DNA sequence: TGAAACGTCAGG
DNA sequence: CCTGACGTTTCA
């Protein structure tokens, strides 16, 4: 929040805040808010308000009309009291206003008139995040210090004066620089914890910080390695691991916790870090890592292997991980590894340790880590996104009931055959408790029927499922948080070489090559050099992010996800919390596919309050606690009882592919679905034991949209479904696949009869036993 | 601690 | 001058 912006929070916060609380109620604000801005004023002056860049994806977006702030707007029928911009439109790179001038020469920024990068920098206005002064770097007289450019925010740095005076440290906790409103509200350490470390890129300071706080290590890095995600494989059904004492629920957004664990992890690597630091100091001179020092902070995404294989992975702070990951052949000098990112003095509030790394230069200089977004790409992407939203809305507005083709994400949907970490065999799940859901053995719940073995039907098998992660108790609204910058394909068009020349191959060509790499390989590439690091983070390379069965979702991962802006995100069988999910969804406006199978309802309920306008595929199979009541919450239009709010559209109205396998839902939910999901073309109701012929009747009843839109339905292992259901499917105009495998009450004869009767209009065949498929 | 409110800045 | 919305305070 605003507090995060005020440079002298320590005093302000601790004292006056409490005092105020005691003196409450205060006389109505009014004068106070406008006139009194002491907390914002530092010795050096007032901070300039920032304004939209008008270029970023967010700025180019249209108002969503759905968020709190939109609803408040007069134009959307609200009272207009909140006066905030649409959450989907929160500028990711707010700029200084045009009226801003250098305090020294009183002139505006002149970088546009210059060609040379160095000149540009010297003549651009830079606002100090500590003293708020706006100057041209070249107008500064200080010669014995360097500024630290905040990479996250245009025209923002810690000026040499402040940096030199060591002021940086004190603001470390709160300040990210002006423009980042609500920053301090970010869940968990996304900004408060992790960002500082990241932006400063300063392990040393982190280490110092850490050493300042006495702590007994409780969290051991190895711990995370021991924790295994739910492990299943078709051949070896999951067995519960013996008690897993390690599975201590991490409150991912609990600052203390995270903070601590992070510290622990850092601590464990201390010697490594300090050694590293030395290397970096020299490394830096040659070519400071720019951008968001991506690699160094990259979350360690565990992921199952899919098309791209292992995704994502750069270590988090676990350096041992890193070493494991690094292909020995590709290992590079430490200084050039991602660690150097960690230590490159990054943006932002910086830090004791970091500042010393920059002592050099005869005039005010800064480690140049400016954000140089590829505007064109960014613009293109936002345009596309906007168009898509518009298109969707139009389509719905027109009530086009044509079955919509499912997006080709389906390739992703093939049953997982591989599980990361490779040690699943015989491993027992850490957090299993003996429990059956919906009368179906846990182990069966992980598979589509194609993987079901007759064995699997032994219902008496003791079963268990993951303990649903505890979510933060209260519903958290994260909408006011700044949306982190989406990845922008970074600038250098060619790879700079040592001799000052550039490599002959252009970035786009490299990108074509990178396309062939797995996410894991990409992460390795990200460690090769700064340029590759930036290129490899291009969101085109990360359209699908798979964290399936990754038991611990850390804030680092979350920010890594946001940065990559995937279209498809698989968080199945993770212990993501509601807060995290909500935070994520709000920052992934372009998300098309969201997989949450096996998560807890507590987490999934984040969907009730967050909006994902482009979501096409929603997978909530085996979500514990997801029943009719919860479905109602999920499918209910956003609650808003203010007058003028008549948006009764369901948040999930654009979903085309809905997976509800293993849920205890009844016709009540189905009725809602038929009403609220006009585009539904694929529906998975397998293992839903309450589903019966009447349910099928509902789905295919006259007047429902599903009747025409439904193309694929999975009713396998729905034991109440009988032959009679097949008659209902005859009235579905678009039906292409009916999966009735393992439905005890469905006979092969009935299927054959169905095929015969349909043959006149739509030729079907039996692809497998009781699996009907259109032939053409 | 997060949400709401609101004065006033910035841009058109 | 109007509108949008930033940055801050106040409230629950």
């Amino acid at each position: 929040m605003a507090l995060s912006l005020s440079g002298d929070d320590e005093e302000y916060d601790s004292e006056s805040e409490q005092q105020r609380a005691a003196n409450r109620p205060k006389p109505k604000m009014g004068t106070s808010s406008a006139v009194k801005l002491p907390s914002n004023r530092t010795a050096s002056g007032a901070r300039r308000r920032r304004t939209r860049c008008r270029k970023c994806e967010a700025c180019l977006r249209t108002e969503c009309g759905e968020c709190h702030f939109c609803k408040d707007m007069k134009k959307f029928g609200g009272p207009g009291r909140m006066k905030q911009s649409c959450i989907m439109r929160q500028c990711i790179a707010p700029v200084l206003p045009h009226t801003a001038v250098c305090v020294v020469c009183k002139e505006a920024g002149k970088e546009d008139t210059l060609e040379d990068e160095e000149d540009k920098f010297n003549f651009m206005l830079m606002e100090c995040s500590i003293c708020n002064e706006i100057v041209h770097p070249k107008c500064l007289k200080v010669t014995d210090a360097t500024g630290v450019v905040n990479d996250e925010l245009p025209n923002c740095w810690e000026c040499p004066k402040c940096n030199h005076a060591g002021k940086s440290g004190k603001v470390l906790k709160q300040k990210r620089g002006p423009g980042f409103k609500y920053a301090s509200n970010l869940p968990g350490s996304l900004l408060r914890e992790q960002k500082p470390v990241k932006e400063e890129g300063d392990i040393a300071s982190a280490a110092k910080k850490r050493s300042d706080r006495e702590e007994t290590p409780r969290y051991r890095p190895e711990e995370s390695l021991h924790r295994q995600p739910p492990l299943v494989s078709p051949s070896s059904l999951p067995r519960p691991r013996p008690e897993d004492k390690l599975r201590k629920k991490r409150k991912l957004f609990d600052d203390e916790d995270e903070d601590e664990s992070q510290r622990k992890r850092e601590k464990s690597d201390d010697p490594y870090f300090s050694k590293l630091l030395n290397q970096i100091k020299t490394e830096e001179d040659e070519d400071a890592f720019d951008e968001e020092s991506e690699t160094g902070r990259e979350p360690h995404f565990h992921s199952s292997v899919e098309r791209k294989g292992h995704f994502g992975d750069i270590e988090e702070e676990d350096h041992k991980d890193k070493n494991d990951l690094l292909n020995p052949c590709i290992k590079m000098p430490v200084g050039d590894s991602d660690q150097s990112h960690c230590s490159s003095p990054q943006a932002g509030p910086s830090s004791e340790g970091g500042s010393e790394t920059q002592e050099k230069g005869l005039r005010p200089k800064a480690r140049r880590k400016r954000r140089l977004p590829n505007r064109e790409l960014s613009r293109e992407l936002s345009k596309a996104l906007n168009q898509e939203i518009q298109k969707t809305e139009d389509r719905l507005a027109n009530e086009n009931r044509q079955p919509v083709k499912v997006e080709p994400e389906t390739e992703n949907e093939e049953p997982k055959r591989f599980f990361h970490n490779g040690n699943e065999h015989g491993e027992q799940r850490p957090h299993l408790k003996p429990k059956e859901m919906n009368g179906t053995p846990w182990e069966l719940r992980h598979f589509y029927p194609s993987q079901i073995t007759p064995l699997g039907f032994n219902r008496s098998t003791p079963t268990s499922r993951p303990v649903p992660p505890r979510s933060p108790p209260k519903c958290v609204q994260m909408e006011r948080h700044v949306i982190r910058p989406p990845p922008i394909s970074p600038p250098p068009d060619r790879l700079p070489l040592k001799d000052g020349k550039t490599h002959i191959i252009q970035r786009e060509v490299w990108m074509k090559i990178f396309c062939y790499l797995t996410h894991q390989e990409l992460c390795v590439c990200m460690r090769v050099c700064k340029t590759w690091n930036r290129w490899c983070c291009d969101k085109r390379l990360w359209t699908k992010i798979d964290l399936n069965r990754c038991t611990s979702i850390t804030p680092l991962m979350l920010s890594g996800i946001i940065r990559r802006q995937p279209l498809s995100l698989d968080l199945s069988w993770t212990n993501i919390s509601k807060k995290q999910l909500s935070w994520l969804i709000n920052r992934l406006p372009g998300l098309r596919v969201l997989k949450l199978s096996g998560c807890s309802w507590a987490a999934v309920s984040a969907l009730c309050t967050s909006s994902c306008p482009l979501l096409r595929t929603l997978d909530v199979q085996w979500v514990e606690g997801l029943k009719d009541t919860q479905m109602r919450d999920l499918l209910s239009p956003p609650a808003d009882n203010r007058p003028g709010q008549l948006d009764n559209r369901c948040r999930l109205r654009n979903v085309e592919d809905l997976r509800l396998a293993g849920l205890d839902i009844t016709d009540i939910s189905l009725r809602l679905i038929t009403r609220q999901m006009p585009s539904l073309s694929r529906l998975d109701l397998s293992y839903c034991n309450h589903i019966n012929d009447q349910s099928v009747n509902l789905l295919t009843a006259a007047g429902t949209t599903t009747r025409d839109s439904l193309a694929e339905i999975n009713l396998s292992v729905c034991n109440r479904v009988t032959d009679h259901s097949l008659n209902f499917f005859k009235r579905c105009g678009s039906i292409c696949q009916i999966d009735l495998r393992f439905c005890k009450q469905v006979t092969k004869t009935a299927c054959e009869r169905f095929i015969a009767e349909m043959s006149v209009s739509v030729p079907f065949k039996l692809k497998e036993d009781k699996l009907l498929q259109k032939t053409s």
Side-chain angles (χ1 to χ4, degrees):
Chain A
M1 218 178 299
L3 287 183
S4 66
L5 303 176
S6 40
D8 30 20
D9 275 355
E10 323 73 57
E11 297 98 18
Y12 170 72
D13 238 352
S14 43
E15 284 300 328
S16 48
E17 189 75 294
Q18 279 161 11
Q19 227 163 4
R20 204 185 325 121
N23 294 341
R24 221 174 266 162
K26 252 215 138 181
K28 259 284 185 201
M29 53 194 249
T31 51
S32 57
S33 78
V35 181
K36 186 191 86 180
L37 292 164
S39 62
N40 183 30
R41 273 37 174 165
T42 61
S44 311
R47 173 154 61 257
R48 270 273 171 181
R49 170 181 289 190
R50 283 183 174 246
T51 184
R52 284 188 174 286
C53 70
R54 290 153 195 278
K55 290 168 190 156
C56 69
E57 195 168 315
C59 284
L60 294 171
R61 212 167 278 156
T62 49
E63 273 142 348
C64 71
E66 291 188 345
C67 67
H68 274 352
F69 300 141
C70 279
K71 282 175 184 160
D72 168 76
M73 294 173 191
K74 290 228 167 87
K75 71 168 113 173
F76 291 111
R81 275 191 297 249
M82 293 165 78
K83 300 190 266 191
Q84 303 295 311
S85 74
C86 168
I87 57 152
M88 303 295 270
R89 295 191 64 238
Q90 294 201 351
C91 179
I92 59 178
V95 296
L96 289 171
H98 294 145
T99 51
V101 290
C102 171
V103 292
V104 180
C105 68
K106 312 287 178 211
E107 289 187 45
K110 293 173 273 194
E111 69 270 25
D112 290 344
T113 62
L114 297 160
E115 279 298 309
D116 181 67
E117 284 285 303
E118 197 66 28
D119 287 345
K120 271 183 191 251
F121 176 72
N122 280 322
F123 284 89
M124 83 178 7
L125 287 175
M126 294 300 288
E127 180 190 34
C128 175
S129 55
I130 298 166
C131 68
N132 300 327
E133 245 175 35
I134 298 172
V135 292
H136 295 119
K138 65 115 180 134
C139 292
L140 280 178
K141 300 284 181 306
V142 194
T143 55
D144 57 344
T146 60
V148 182
V149 175
N150 183 338
D151 192 29
E152 296 262 333
L153 198 59
N155 304 85
C156 179
W157 70 343
E158 288 176 10
C159 68
K161 274 188 288 181
C162 293
N163 192 28
H164 188 56
K167 288 187 187 171
S168 45
K170 78 169 187 176
V171 288
L172 186 109
K173 285 190 275 321
Q174 316 88 341
K175 279 197 75 154
R176 309 185 68 229
F180 273 73
K181 63 173 185 169
Y182 317 126
S184 65
N185 284 345
L186 281 166
S189 27
L190 272 167
L191 288 180
R192 270 175 293 186
E193 263 312 302
Q194 145 198 12
K195 289 308 286 183
V197 177
K198 166 179 190 167
E199 283 162 7
E200 300 146 38
D202 185 355
I203 304 298
S205 76
K208 186 163 175 212
K209 251 199 315 180
R210 173 230 317 141
S211 63
D212 290 342
R213 318 171 202 164
E214 20 65 81
E215 273 291 354
T216 19
R218 261 182 283 149
Y219 177 87
R220 308 224 32 85
E222 311 84 61
E223 193 173 305
S224 64
L225 300 175
H226 290 225
R227 271 191 237 130
Q228 296 302 325
L231 301 166
V232 208
S233 78
S235 49
S236 63
L237 289 174
R239 271 158 291 166
R241 290 201 183 109
E243 64 359 325
D244 190 329
K245 288 166 187 141
L246 293 177
R247 172 136 184 117
K248 136 182 99 173
K249 192 72 62 178
R250 273 179 71 195
K251 291 180 279 163
L252 293 172
F253 277 134
D254 178 321
D255 293 338
E256 267 321 287
D257 242 46
E258 185 56 34
D259 198 15
E260 184 185 300
S261 58
Q262 191 147 332
R263 264 178 279 142
K264 298 293 136 52
R265 275 170 278 167
E266 286 165 13
K267 195 165 199 159
S268 66
D269 285 336
D270 245 357
Y272 182 68
F273 277 122
S274 41
K275 208 168 158 191
L276 207 57
L277 248 186
N278 293 332
Q279 303 243 21
I280 290 138
K281 284 177 199 163
T282 51
E283 186 71 22
E284 241 176 36
D285 286 322
E286 293 161 22
D287 187 7
F289 260 102
D290 44 6
E291 275 301 299
E292 282 105 341
S293 74
E294 193 52 57
T295 42
R297 308 286 311 157
E298 216 39 54
H300 191 140
F301 292 119
H302 301 268
S303 72
S304 28
V305 181
E306 52 171 50
R307 180 183 64 82
K308 296 204 99 188
H310 239 71
F311 143 112
D313 258 81
I314 327 218
E315 63 290 7
E316 31 185 339
E317 293 84 4
D318 275 6
H319 299 280
K320 61 155 67 164
D321 274 18
K322 166 186 137 224
N323 293 333
D324 293 342
L325 260 169
L326 271 176
N327 179 334
C329 315
I330 316 185
K331 266 185 185 162
M332 72 285 308
V334 184
D336 215 11
S337 82
D338 34 346
Q339 254 61 43
S340 61
H341 289 240
C342 285
S343 323
S344 70
Q346 267 297 339
S350 117
S351 50
E352 307 96 292
S355 51
E356 85 194 56
T357 68
Q358 341 209 343
E359 295 296 324
K360 65 194 67 132
L362 299 167
R363 41 141 73 200
K365 233 195 294 185
R367 289 274 66 85
R368 303 278 309 280
K369 268 161 269 95
R370 296 181 299 125
R371 173 200 311 285
L372 290 174
N374 182 335
R375 305 254 183 239
E376 225 165 282
L377 178 69
S378 170
R379 218 170 302 150
E380 216 169 273
L381 290 166
S382 2
K383 215 162 73 188
L385 190 72
N386 277 329
Q387 279 171 354
E388 187 131 6
I389 293 176
Q390 198 52 55
K391 237 170 27 195
T392 304
E393 296 305 321
D394 290 349
R395 183 167 56 81
L396 285 169
N398 293 336
E399 290 237 314
N400 181 357
R401 292 186 178 181
Q402 288 289 42
V404 193
K405 267 267 193 276
V406 181
E407 283 181 84
E409 276 91 8
T410 43
E411 63 182 65
N412 194 20
E413 289 150 23
E414 57 181 312
K416 294 276 184 297
R417 277 179 296 266
F418 306 101
F419 301 92
H420 59 277
N421 290 346
N423 54 352
E424 60 276 11
H425 303 290
E427 278 277 8
Q428 290 173 312
R429 297 162 44 86
H431 46 281
L432 295 180
K433 64 178 185 193
K435 182 176 175 206
E436 261 190 338
M437 194 169 89
N438 189 16
T440 313
W442 180 86
E443 53 267 45
L444 284 187
R445 296 165 180 267
H446 300 268
F447 305 103
Y448 289 94
S450 58
Q451 290 146 304
I452 295 168
T453 61
L455 196 67
F457 284 94
N458 177 5
R459 296 216 159 204
S460 60
T461 311
T463 57
S464 41
R465 73 189 309 283
V467 172
R470 267 177 282 127
S471 287
K474 50 182 177 161
C475 166
V476 194
Q477 292 192 9
M478 320 285 290
E479 298 188 347
R480 296 192 74 182
H481 306 308
V482 133
I483 296 173
R484 292 214 58 218
I488 296 165
S489 191
D493 202 41
R494 286 171 193 271
L495 196 60
L497 298 174
K498 265 192 175 167
D499 55 7
K501 293 178 186 156
T502 55
H503 194 277
I504 187 162
I505 300 181
Q506 283 182 304
R507 179 169 61 104
E508 284 310 310
V509 179
W510 281 112
M511 293 303 282
K512 294 219 164 66
I513 298 167
F514 291 144
C515 284
Y516 290 96
L517 302 184
T518 66
H519 284 159
Q520 191 180 21
E521 287 160 349
L522 274 178
C523 290
V524 173
C525 290
M526 287 172 90
R527 299 191 200 101
V528 169
C529 68
K530 284 146 264 196
T531 309
W532 274 32
N533 174 260
R534 298 157 79 190
W535 291 349
C536 289
C537 203
D538 192 300
K539 71 178 178 186
R540 290 171 289 175
L541 300 170
W542 297 87
T543 52
K544 285 179 202 163
I545 292 183
D546 183 356
L547 294 172
N548 194 326
R549 287 161 214 278
C550 178
T551 39
S552 181
I553 303 289
T554 64
L556 270 177
M557 288 171 167
L558 298 186
S559 57
I561 295 169
I562 298 299
R563 178 156 303 160
R564 290 170 171 81
Q565 290 285 307
L567 299 179
S568 167
L569 180 58
D570 188 348
L571 293 164
S572 302
W573 304 98
T574 62
N575 65 350
I576 191 162
S577 70
K578 176 174 182 172
K579 193 167 183 173
Q580 290 177 313
L581 187 59
S582 171
W583 193 87
L584 266 180
I585 295 173
N586 282 332
R587 283 157 186 77
L588 296 172
L591 195 65
R592 309 295 208 292
V593 180
L594 180 58
K595 297 184 183 177
L596 296 170
S597 57
C599 293
S600 67
W601 164 250
V604 173
S605 64
L607 288 169
C608 300
T609 47
S610 314
S611 150
C612 223
L614 297 180
L615 198 66
R616 297 291 191 276
T617 299
L618 178 63
D619 182 344
V620 287
Q621 343 180 38
W622 310 106
V623 165
E624 190 176 68
L626 177 40
K627 299 180 180 173
D628 287 333
T629 327
Q630 289 73 23
M631 279 301 286
R632 194 193 58 215
D633 294 344
L634 211 50
L635 295 175
S636 297
D640 193 331
N641 38 21
R642 273 175 296 189
Q645 284 310 305
L646 295 169
D647 186 2
N648 52 3
R649 296 175 301 173
C650 161
R651 290 175 197 275
L652 302 171
R653 61 185 174 278
N654 296 332
V655 167
E656 295 163 2
D657 183 351
L658 183 62
R659 306 187 198 164
L660 303 173
L663 300 183
D664 287 322
I665 52 165
T666 70
D667 294 353
I668 298 171
S669 294
L670 291 186
R671 212 168 275 131
L672 277 169
I673 290 167
T674 58
R675 284 188 205 137
Q676 304 286 3
M677 294 186 166
S679 308
L680 194 66
S681 74
R682 301 185 60 182
L683 180 60
D684 184 352
L685 292 169
S686 55
Y687 299 94
C688 292
N689 285 330
H690 298 291
I691 298 301
N692 53 31
D693 293 337
Q694 176 54 25
S695 320
V696 178
N697 186 16
L698 257 176
L699 285 171
T700 57
T704 57
T705 49
T706 36
R707 177 183 189 144
D708 295 319
S709 65
L710 214 53
E712 280 182 38
I713 186 156
N714 188 346
L715 293 169
S716 56
V717 209
C718 290
N719 289 321
R720 294 195 191 177
V721 173
T722 74
D723 288 347
H724 194 52
S725 282
L726 282 166
N727 292 324
F728 295 132
F729 284 121
K730 289 179 193 160
R731 52 198 194 195
C732 288
S734 316
I735 198 78
C736 296
Q737 180 165 313
I738 307 164
D739 191 343
L740 296 165
R741 284 176 297 171
F742 307 101
C743 292
K744 287 176 185 163
Q745 301 197 56
V746 176
T747 61
K748 197 175 178 186
T749 331
C751 294
E752 280 158 354
R753 198 185 320 129
F754 176 85
I755 292 174
E757 286 171 17
M758 291 294 282
S759 62
V760 194
S761 50
V762 193
F764 270 86
K765 65 171 180 189
L766 265 179
K767 198 184 172 212
E768 269 181 47
D769 188 33
K770 294 185 257 185
L771 171 57
L772 294 152
Q773 205 175 52
K774 203 171 155 184
T775 49
S776 50

